[in-house]
Amino acid sequence: MFPNHSNLGCPPFPPKHQQQSNFLDKVPLNMLPTLGSQQHLTETQFNFRNAVAVLSGNLASTRDATLQPAAYVSGSPVNVSDAPMSFRGRKRLSEQSVQYNVKRHRSHSHHSETAVVNQAVLLPEERRYSFPGSVQSPLFRAHHIPDLTGCVPLVRYTLFPEPTETTLPVAKDKLSRQVLELFQACQQQTSDLHKKEVCRAQLQTEIQRLFPHSRLFLVGSSLNGFGTHTSDGDLCLVVKEEPVNQKTEARNILSLVQKLFSTSLSYIERPQLIRAKVPIVRFRDKVSCVEFDLNVNSVVGIRNTFLLRTYAYIEDRVRPLVLVVKKWARFHDINDASRGTLSSYSLVLMVLHYLQTLPEPVLPSLQKMYPESFDSTMELHHIHEAPRTIPPYPSKNGSSLGELLIGFFKYYAAEFDWSNKVISVREGKAIRRPDDSEWRNRFICIEEPFDRTNTARAVHEKQKFDLIRSQFLKSWRLLRNKKDLNCILPLRTAILKG
């Protein structure tokens, strides 16, 4: 099932002096038509089946691939009850009423909205290819996806990931069985990704009316392997090659997107522009019942999505541990960066870092072990290929899920030096704090693996930091003594909430 050689199928990366070329000239485009008629639907299904077969390396399987019809039609009401069952998602139980403490300031940019539109990079027609690892368009070109047989599941539409490509750890003790039970009950399912991907593809078609050569990427927990079936969707709109000023250009672009969603797309509700450090448009898709956050040109999110996806699948204990830690943090109200606690992304990095720093590591530093596969300057159309070439990590650590979970809480409750160290997944160890404004006088320092910013900068109040540390300490002591997940996270409640 897994290749024995780490370089098997390794894609040819361009020399570094060529990696600064216009990546949007090579980034593929999804051009799914608006599904407004049976003819369009039939054509889309046919083209999609062919594309999936090309991705799978099996043209003979084109007859077996299917695509459910979507209820996305621009400019006309969407009857959600008529949508297929696969699109009927579960409403969020706790997040819908959350108030976000975000300062809202008007943006006075010297760029007009028209000028922003005109800055999008041109993309020649012959270079429009499908988004790697997503629903494939008729313009897909097989030679842009090497014939790889990797250990990390291929990001494809039909099965995400294929059950035959992933395994779960054996759980012999009570605590490990509880962790595994929670993971199996709450992990993201194929149908969950299906709903998000169909919405993404349709929105890209709509947004390209404003920005003809833009690309819309699904990022974050939906794609990195750490999502649950109630996870929101994160989208990154890439409009041009150069960085976008988040205070001016990004807000202007998102303002246009919000207007489009409000006036032309009846299947989008509550589009809201949130003027944070990285501004977003938050909205809900009526068809899938999924909440989305859409940013502009936050390309680092695309890179770290596939880095985390690789960590998720090279060791079968990683995903269950991450899911239970995220559920635990949310239950104890320390998983909300907008309220001064830890983001889900920071929590994932904390778990990965802990697993790297054990006397017998469960995980390596992928960026040190495979620097070419996770080069921060790699062009976007190559990023999805790297994880498929990485074999499973042969860890000699035989600890159970329960033992690792107890050790996780112990590490951050009693061992990690919060005052002087930075959590670094890139280095695979704790590193000394640099003496600059990004790290000085910060309560928690967690390094973003690519741009090396502090992902935990939202924890800026000592009261919130003390709350986080106290929860680690309390949970460690309870779990060490009782070895029952219910003592720190009611299992039944966590499963019911998804």
Side-chain angles (χ1 to χ4, degrees):
M1 179 170 63
F2 295 117
N4 294 321
H5 195 276
S6 62
N7 292 324
L8 180 62
C10 186
F13 295 100
K16 288 189 179 294
H17 70 275
Q18 295 178 1
Q19 291 184 358
Q20 300 300 324
S21 61
N22 291 346
F23 67 77
L24 279 177
D25 287 347
K26 299 179 181 178
V27 174
L29 268 174
N30 248 350
M31 298 296 289
L32 285 180
T34 301
L35 304 183
S37 68
Q38 183 61 36
Q39 178 183 0
H40 285 163
L41 178 59
T42 303
E43 292 173 354
T44 302
Q45 289 173 328
F46 175 77
N47 290 322
F48 175 76
R49 288 195 294 268
N50 289 340
V52 169
V54 173
L55 264 184
S56 306
N58 182 13
L59 290 175
S61 67
T62 56
R63 297 179 182 178
D64 299 327
T66 59
L67 176 66
Q68 297 294 331
Y72 295 95
V73 181
S74 301
S76 62
V78 175
N79 186 349
V80 176
S81 63
D82 292 336
M85 285 298 294
S86 61
F87 290 126
R88 296 180 190 174
R90 178 182 302 185
K91 292 184 179 180
R92 300 302 300 266
L93 298 177
S94 59
E95 283 80 357
Q96 285 184 340
S97 60
V98 172
Q99 298 297 319
Y100 293 88
N101 183 20
V102 180
K103 293 183 179 179
R104 298 168 181 266
H105 300 289
R106 289 190 175 274
S107 170
H108 299 283
S109 172
H110 63 278
H111 298 290
S112 67
E113 291 181 347
T114 303
V116 172
V117 175
N118 292 335
Q119 290 170 4
V121 172
L122 296 178
L123 189 64
E125 182 70 27
E126 66 272 13
R127 289 187 178 180
R128 293 181 182 175
Y129 307 116
S130 62
F131 169 44
S134 192
V135 170
Q136 307 303 318
S137 78
L139 297 171
F140 179 78
R141 299 293 186 269
H143 64 270
H144 271 260
I145 303 295
D147 184 14
L148 302 176
T149 306
C151 70
V152 176
L154 171 64
V155 183
R156 65 181 70 168
Y157 175 83
T158 51
L159 291 173
F160 177 76
E162 291 191 13
T164 56
E165 293 178 315
T166 58
T167 59
L168 292 176
V170 177
K172 296 182 179 180
D173 59 277
K174 177 182 177 180
L175 180 55
S176 297
R177 287 195 297 271
Q178 290 174 324
V179 172
L180 206 55
E181 178 186 354
L182 181 61
F183 173 71
Q184 291 176 304
C186 299
Q187 66 174 317
Q188 179 175 255
Q189 302 296 323
T190 304
S191 58
D192 302 319
L193 180 65
H194 179 152
K195 293 184 293 185
K196 296 173 185 177
E197 173 53 35
V198 172
C199 182
R200 183 211 63 81
Q202 180 63 25
L203 288 177
Q204 178 171 268
T205 301
E206 304 289 357
I207 292 173
Q208 283 172 346
R209 297 176 182 179
L210 289 176
F211 308 98
H213 308 292
S214 62
R215 290 295 321 289
L216 191 61
F217 292 83
L218 185 63
V219 296
S221 62
S222 298
L223 207 59
N224 65 23
F226 296 122
T228 67
H229 63 78
T230 58
S231 294
D232 292 341
D234 293 301
L235 297 167
C236 176
L237 176 63
V238 179
V239 296
K240 63 177 184 176
E241 175 185 359
E242 298 82 11
V244 166
N245 186 309
Q246 293 295 324
K247 292 184 179 180
T248 55
E249 289 180 276
R251 290 182 183 179
N252 288 336
I253 292 168
L254 290 175
S255 179
L256 291 176
V257 171
Q258 181 194 24
K259 290 178 183 177
L260 171 69
F261 288 1
S262 300
T263 59
S264 302
L265 306 185
S266 57
Y267 55 88
I268 298 299
E269 65 178 0
R270 302 197 300 268
Q272 178 186 12
L273 176 59
I274 297 178
R275 295 174 173 85
K277 182 175 181 180
V278 176
I280 60 172
V281 168
R282 176 169 288 128
F283 61 93
R284 181 177 181 271
D285 170 31
K286 295 180 184 178
V287 179
S288 65
C289 298
V290 172
E291 302 272 352
F292 285 91
D293 287 346
L294 186 154
N295 68 67
V296 174
N297 270 56
S298 185
V299 176
V300 69
I302 303 173
R303 299 188 187 281
N304 63 47
T305 292
F306 286 96
L307 174 66
L308 264 58
R309 179 173 173 79
T310 311
Y311 278 116
Y313 289 104
I314 63 170
E315 225 290 340
D316 59 15
R317 290 168 288 183
V318 178
R319 290 191 299 147
L321 280 172
V322 167
L323 187 141
V324 74
V325 167
K326 288 169 65 175
K327 289 288 185 181
W328 164 82
R330 183 163 294 276
F331 177 76
H332 291 282
D333 294 322
I334 57 172
N335 178 207
D336 189 345
S338 69
R339 294 180 174 175
T341 55
L342 294 164
S343 67
S344 293
Y345 181 45
S346 291
L347 287 165
V348 174
L349 294 178
M350 290 175 72
V351 176
L352 299 181
H353 167 79
Y354 158 70
L355 294 175
Q356 291 172 326
T357 57
L358 290 166
E360 194 64 65
V362 173
L363 290 175
S365 166
L366 288 174
Q367 287 164 288
K368 293 177 71 174
M369 185 173 287
Y370 304 101
E372 191 176 45
S373 295
F374 300 101
D375 189 333
S376 61
T377 64
M378 185 188 300
E379 295 171 339
L380 289 184
H381 68 287
H382 280 312
I383 292 174
H384 75 291
E385 298 169 2
R388 295 168 54 195
T389 71
I390 309 299
Y393 182 65
S395 173
K396 296 179 182 179
N397 187 316
S399 300
S400 68
L401 285 171
E403 291 169 338
L404 290 174
L405 183 61
I406 294 172
F408 169 78
F409 290 118
K410 178 183 179 181
Y411 179 72
Y412 289 109
E415 297 176 3
F416 184 75
D417 184 358
W418 297 96
S419 299
N420 300 303
K421 296 294 185 178
V422 174
I423 294 168
S424 176
V425 170
R426 176 182 58 88
E427 289 290 337
K429 62 182 181 180
I431 61 176
R432 183 169 295 278
R433 287 194 186 203
D435 187 21
D436 58 44
S437 58
E438 182 73 24
W439 309 101
R440 192 186 307 118
N441 300 323
R442 303 291 180 174
F443 293 107
I444 299 179
C445 293
I446 304 175
E447 181 191 61
E448 208 294 321
F450 288 101
D451 68 17
R452 305 187 188 182
T453 56
N454 183 11
T455 71
R457 58 183 173 271
V459 185
H460 54 79
E461 297 178 11
K462 189 175 187 303
Q463 180 183 5
K464 295 296 177 67
F465 172 64
D466 290 341
L467 172 64
I468 293 169
R469 287 201 65 182
S470 67
Q471 289 297 348
F472 273 100
L473 182 60
K474 182 179 178 181
S475 295
W476 168 47
R477 289 172 174 170
L478 286 172
L479 209 57
R480 177 190 60 187
N481 295 331
K482 297 186 177 182
K483 295 181 174 58
D484 183 347
L485 188 60
N486 287 292
C487 69
I488 64 167
L489 175 64
L491 190 58
R492 185 177 182 84
T493 301
I495 290 175
L496 287 175
K497 288 187 175 181

